[in-house]
């Protein structure tokens, strides 16, 4: 008697799956250019102006293995002076099995990025705090909306060409 469970439909097709094989900091920079003077500016009434740029990229490493890299770049300024700046590239290697070809890219830049985000967010929060500032928690990111926006931008560029 075998220990195999039927999949319910009698077919041999396996369900799509995604596995995170490894996660890592690919590149990281934190700058505190005006320290220690900037540390005293934290008490300003209006608070710093924050900016954040998000980019997600992916590439194939093998038939079923892919790398997704989440890049978060941001800075805090007050009165035109940079208090701190960061640039993080946080990556992961994912194994996708039985995922239809047309769904691979969305899975990599939406679902894999969602898995990487909490870890990247924590790295940034700790670095900002270790720089002498209150921790900066990157706000939640809607990776599906970012993907749709990018698709629309590409379609607009193709329409203009």
């Amino acid at each position: 008697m075998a220990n195999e469970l039927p999949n319910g439909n009698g077919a041999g097709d396996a369900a799509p799956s995604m596995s995170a094989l490894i996660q890592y900091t690919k590149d990281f920079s934190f700058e505190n250019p005006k320290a220690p003077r900037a540390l005293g500016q934290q008490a300003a009434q209006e608070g710093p102006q924050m900016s954040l740029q998000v980019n997600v990229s992916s590439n194939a490493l093998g038939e079923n293995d892919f790398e997704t890299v989440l890049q978060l770049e941001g800075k805090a300024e007050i009165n035109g002076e940079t208090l701190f700046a960061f640039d993080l590239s946080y990556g992961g290697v994912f194994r996708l099995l039985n995922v239809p070809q047309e769904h691979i890219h969305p899975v990599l830049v939406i679902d894999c990025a969602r898995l990487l985000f909490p870890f990247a967010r924590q790295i940034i929060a700790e670095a900002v705090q270790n720089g002498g500032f209150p921790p900066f928690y990157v706000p939640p990111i809607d990776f599906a909306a970012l993907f749709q926006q990018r698709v629309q931008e590409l379609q607009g560029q193709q329409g203009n060409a």
Side-chain angles (χ1 to χ4, degrees):
M1 193 175 203
N3 289 332
E4 296 179 23
L5 297 174
N7 64 9
N9 63 9
D13 294 337
S17 69
M18 175 182 68
S19 302
L21 303 180
I22 190 168
Q23 293 179 205
Y24 47 90
T25 300
K26 193 163 187 157
D27 187 29
F28 182 60
S29 170
F30 177 80
E31 299 175 25
N32 193 352
K34 303 288 185 189
R37 188 170 49 95
L39 299 176
Q41 293 180 332
Q42 294 180 59
Q45 290 178 324
E46 72 270 355
Q49 297 288 349
M50 299 296 303
S51 65
L52 179 68
Q53 292 182 328
V54 179
N55 188 31
V56 181
S57 61
S58 64
N59 62 66
L61 301 175
E63 184 178 344
N64 297 314
D65 294 345
F66 301 86
E67 176 188 46
T68 295
V69 177
L70 174 59
Q71 185 171 8
L72 301 171
E73 183 178 343
K75 67 180 176 178
E77 292 181 324
I78 197 161
N79 299 325
E81 288 191 353
T82 299
L83 293 176
F84 64 83
F86 58 84
D87 188 354
L88 173 64
S89 293
Y90 191 77
V93 175
F94 299 88
R95 180 163 292 152
L96 304 182
L97 298 173
N98 304 312
V99 175
Q101 188 66 34
E102 66 272 13
H103 296 296
I104 288 177
H105 184 68
V107 166
L108 292 171
V109 299
I110 297 171
D111 297 319
C112 294
R114 279 185 191 144
L115 290 173
L116 296 173
F117 178 74
F119 300 96
R121 183 180 195 229
Q122 189 63 36
I123 290 169
I124 292 168
E126 289 176 2
V128 170
Q129 187 173 23
N130 289 338
F133 301 95
F136 170 65
Y137 291 103
V138 176
I141 297 170
D142 185 346
F143 292 101
L146 285 177
F147 176 73
Q148 289 299 326
Q149 178 183 358
R150 183 68 179 142
V151 167
Q152 290 173 353
E153 287 173 3
L154 291 173
Q155 288 172 345
Q157 290 173 1
Q158 290 173 352
N160 292 337

